């Protein structure tokens, strides 16, 4: 079996369990639904980003970095994970955040502040038109202070961070053996693409038959199919893997984005509430809720007919739920 993983540092609480959602599977009467509990990768480091950071931060430390610069929305789970990892390792965190909706000190943004991250706020227009220059400016300022910094792209999705989810496939392979299953699909939420690309590449390298499907939460399927291929190509080149990238199958579904990134809809909130009450599983409206809603809806409308087992990756996101409290109407 493929075992040429690059160096990493241990940050995530892994391997995470794979659990069978018995009540939900029975209720929808379709394939068996399994949940990979990557919301258990840490209490404050919870979610998928810490898996990618294990590889990226190892590289940054090797280069002698004393500061990490990264970016995202105001409620970015990735920025929160980076802020906490920096605190843990004694690094300086610089977060370039998009001012969206409210600037309340809540959820992930609260934790960024609690962990002492340096916050750089920009309007969405400035952010999207000038992100590269903003990174360069911060890097240069740090340089004048004698600090070497390492820049991490959105969501830690690149040819290095991708290893986090290649490694997750290695865990899944052991999970499948333990439970005696051979799932047809591995499903995840796709926001910056690295989880999907890692799962796709991992299955290819490790001989797992399951097809990875990403449910997009922002950009369309065409964008993510290209983005996943780009991450895989970069990894292939950086680590000399000799993979013929065109033979890696990539699949994205973009039917459940709704009004846009981090914007929910009534059926979504109802679904999140129902899953919590049925299984005791907490999903968030930005990522896991949208993707899981999409999966269950697609099962109900027959997209997965004849399928026996599906694995959904619970990629975390719990702190992103709380700022949506007013969209849930409890009676
Ligand atoms: C970032 C994130 C995702 C999306 O993963 P990508 O690798 O960025 O596509 C899914 N779920 C949660 C909770 C996230 O924070």
């Amino acid at each position: 079996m493929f075992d040429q993983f690059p160096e990493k540092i241990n940050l995530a609480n892994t391997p995470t369990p794979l659990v069978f959602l018995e009540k939900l599977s029975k209720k929808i009467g379709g394939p068996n639904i399994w949940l990979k509990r990557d919301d258990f990768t840490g209490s404050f480091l919870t979610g998928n980003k810490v898996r990618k950071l294990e590889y990226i931060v190892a590289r940054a430390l090797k280069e002698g970095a004393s500061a990490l610069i990264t970016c995202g929305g105001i409620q970015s789970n990735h920025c929160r994970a980076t802020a906490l990892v920096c605190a843990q390792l004694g690094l300086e965190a610089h977060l370039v955040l998009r001012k969206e909706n409210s600037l309340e000190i809540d959820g992930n943004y609260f934790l960024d502040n609690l962990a002492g991250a340096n916050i750089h706020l920009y309007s969405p227009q400035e952010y999207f038109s000038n992100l590269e220059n903003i990174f360069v400016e911060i890097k240069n300022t740090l340089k004048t202070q004698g600090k070497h910094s390492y820049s991490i792209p959105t969501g830690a999705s690149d040819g290095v961070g991708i290893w986090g989810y290649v490694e997750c496939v290695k865990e899944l392979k052991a999970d499948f053996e333990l439970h005696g299953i051979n799932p047809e699909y591995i499903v995840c939420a796709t926001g910056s693409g690295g989880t999907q690309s890692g799962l796709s590449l991992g299955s290819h390298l490790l001989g797992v038959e399951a097809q990875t499907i990403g449910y997009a939460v922002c950009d369309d399927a065409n964008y993510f199919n290209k983005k996943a291929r780009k991450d895989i190509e970069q990894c292939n080149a950086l680590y000399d893997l000799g993979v013929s990238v065109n033979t890696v199958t990539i699949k994205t579904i973009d039917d459940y984005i709704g009004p846009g990134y981090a914007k929910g809809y009534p059926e979504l909130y109802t679904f999140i509430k129902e899953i919590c009450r049925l299984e005791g599983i907490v999903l968030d409206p930005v990522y896991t809720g949208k993707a899981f809603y999409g999966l269950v809806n697609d099962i109900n409308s027959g997209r997965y007919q004849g399928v026996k087992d599906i694995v959904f990756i619970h990629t975390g996101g719990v702190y992103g739920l709380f700022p949506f409290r007013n969209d849930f109407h409890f009676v």
Side-chain angles (χ1 to χ4, degrees), residues 37 254 259 269:
R37 297 297 307 264
D254 59 9
Y269 302 122

Side-chain angles (χ1 to χ4, degrees), residues 46-49 52 75-78 80 154-157 165 188-197 217 224 261 284 286-288 313-318:
T46 174
N48 57 347
K49 303 310 180 311
K52 309 181 195 186
Q75 283 297 334
S76 163
N77 295 300
H78 162 62
R80 177 257 308 152
T154 309
S157 290
Y165 274 86
C188 68
T190 290
S192 64
T195 303
Q196 182 184 352
S197 62
V217 303
F224 281 120
Y261 176 71
D284 76 287
V286 185
Y287 295 103
T288 57
I313 314 287
H314 191 322
T315 42
V318 67

